[in-house]
Amino acid sequence: MTPATSLFSPVEADLQILADNLKQLVGNRHPILYAAAEHLFGAGGKRIRPAIVLLISRAVMLDTDITPRHRRLAEITEMIHTASLVHDDVVDESEMRRGVPTVHSLFGNRIAVLAGDFLFAQSSWYLANLDNLEVVKLLSEVIMDLAAGEIQQGLNRFDTNISLETYLKKSYYKTASLIANSSKAAGVISEVSKETAEHFYHYGRNLGLAFQIVDDILDFTSSTDTLGKPAGSDLKSGNLTAPVLFALEEKPYLEVLIEREFAQEGDLEQALALIHDSQGIQRARDLAAHHAKLAVEQLGVLVPSESRQALIQIADYVLSRLY
């Protein structure tokens, strides 16, 4: 498997600038928030989202350098993503993320919620300062989508009647919306045609869906060490993902176990065994591959370049995490 970071060689220098800027953007007027931000931005995330923004920008601006507005858009994208992770970890009561303690486990829930709010507010302020109404609309929608996705996930816990369509909609809100809308925003700032910007949106949307489906498969196939959280934890908390929804079509008893919320001893283990014994994981893999393929097809609007090649390879990388 190719490590994600090696895919980003065309924007490696840009990502280094981004890493330095992120801490400065938070500012040190608020020592506790600064400490929280430093902890977050230093946690060694893959930076896939800002890398995509920078790669699209470079793939379009082949003859000229990218502008400070492109860089700022990438920074805003990472800030929004990070803010959502802080809030997610509070909601999910996660103690670890990427192998390091979460903000709320270090600083408490109150600071974590405020740190997330602060990052959302900061990103909105920097967004407004880009002076581009269309980009403001695109990324403001992402912030609404993130909240909508989290609420929908909470409402659908242990609900065996949710459809695949509902699951994909929630996955769009929680993961794909940010990648889709920031990809489109990179096109808007680069002043591409409306049609081309729409292709970037669909690249991000399909890539984001593939990414989320793969994450949901890894919850069943990966070890706790790899995931940084206990395997099967989505299922245990009642979050029914693609492998489960497909398995439910084959294994009626799975529904019984889920609906009684794994109340009896051995219920969770039995449910995991039923999922592994079904076509659920393979069908979810096929669905992820389908969305990754749709993502790559959108890149036909770009002329061949190193950055375009990297965008194609990111789709391959997303799937390669399964093997």
Side-chain angles (χ1 to χ4, degrees):
M1 183 178 105
T2 322
T5 42
S6 69
L7 300 175
F8 305 153
S9 53
V11 292
E12 207 170 329
D14 300 323
L15 286 170
Q16 192 47 59
I17 295 169
L18 175 123
D20 299 339
N21 282 355
L22 279 170
K23 289 176 192 171
Q24 289 170 2
L25 289 180
V26 175
N28 51 12
R29 284 179 306 160
H30 311 279
I32 193 85
L33 289 176
Y34 186 71
E38 200 156 48
H39 171 70
L40 284 164
F41 294 135
K46 293 187 282 289
R47 304 250 194 269
I48 284 182
R49 290 152 189 83
I52 289 168
V53 168
L54 292 162
L55 286 166
I56 287 176
S57 305
R58 288 217 171 270
V60 174
M61 314 276 290
L62 283 175
D63 303 325
T64 52
D65 198 11
I66 58 171
T67 67
R69 293 165 87 208
H70 290 107
R71 294 187 187 283
R72 187 47 51 90
L73 175 64
E75 290 154 11
I76 290 165
T77 300
E78 185 67 356
M79 283 176 97
I80 291 173
H81 174 56
T82 306
S84 74
L85 295 185
V86 181
H87 282 174
D88 276 2
D89 288 338
V90 174
V91 172
D92 300 340
E93 299 176 355
S94 308
E95 295 300 311
M96 302 288 281
R97 176 175 289 276
R98 298 168 181 159
V100 296
T102 52
V103 172
H104 74 91
S105 67
L106 288 177
F107 300 99
N109 277 0
R110 192 163 155 268
I111 292 295
V113 171
L114 291 171
D117 289 350
F118 179 73
L119 286 173
F120 276 131
Q122 283 283 76
S123 61
S124 300
W125 189 80
Y126 286 115
L127 192 54
N129 279 286
L130 287 176
D131 284 331
N132 186 311
L133 186 57
E134 192 178 351
V135 172
V136 171
K137 285 178 179 175
L138 287 169
L139 282 129
S140 300
E141 195 173 318
V142 170
I143 297 174
M144 291 192 294
D145 286 348
L146 287 165
E150 201 57 52
I151 290 164
Q152 195 178 336
Q153 184 168 300
L155 292 174
N156 292 339
R157 287 176 70 235
F158 299 105
D159 179 0
T160 54
N161 293 315
I162 69 160
S163 63
L164 188 67
E165 192 185 351
T166 301
Y167 159 76
L168 288 172
K169 195 172 176 184
K170 181 213 71 181
S171 301
Y172 171 76
Y173 285 154
K174 286 198 67 172
T175 304
S177 173
L178 177 59
I179 303 174
N181 285 298
S182 60
S183 296
K184 184 176 179 179
V188 172
I189 286 181
S190 309
E191 298 179 357
V192 301
S193 70
K194 273 190 161 48
E195 192 187 346
T196 299
E198 213 49 43
H199 280 291
F200 295 160
Y201 168 85
H202 286 290
Y203 168 77
R205 180 181 182 278
N206 283 295
L207 186 77
L209 289 174
F211 196 90
Q212 186 58 55
I213 296 162
V214 166
D215 253 11
D216 293 339
I217 296 168
L218 291 174
D219 192 53
F220 295 100
T221 60
S222 248
S223 65
T224 302
D225 291 347
T226 315
L227 288 174
K229 60 176 184 176
S233 55
D234 278 342
L235 181 62
K236 188 180 179 183
S237 67
N239 176 19
L240 308 189
T241 57
V244 186
L245 297 178
F246 287 133
L248 276 164
E249 294 174 23
E250 284 175 64
K251 307 283 183 185
Y253 190 60
L254 186 55
E255 191 174 329
V256 177
L257 298 170
I258 292 169
E259 289 192 340
R260 70 177 181 220
E261 300 187 10
F262 312 118
Q264 296 178 22
E265 200 174 332
D267 274 3
L268 183 64
E269 292 71 18
Q270 199 176 351
L272 289 168
L274 286 170
I275 291 160
H276 279 284
D277 189 44
S278 75
Q279 288 297 304
I281 289 170
Q282 186 53 50
R283 286 178 69 190
R285 279 192 180 126
D286 295 343
L287 185 63
H290 168 70
H291 282 289
K293 181 171 175 285
L294 289 178
V296 171
E297 284 170 7
Q298 303 298 324
L299 298 173
V301 293
L302 290 169
V303 298
S305 68
E306 267 189 32
S307 296
R308 176 179 178 261
Q309 193 52 37
L311 289 164
I312 292 168
Q313 286 173 326
I314 288 172
D316 295 336
Y317 159 75
V318 166
L319 296 177
S320 76
R321 293 161 66 225
L322 291 170
Y323 301 102

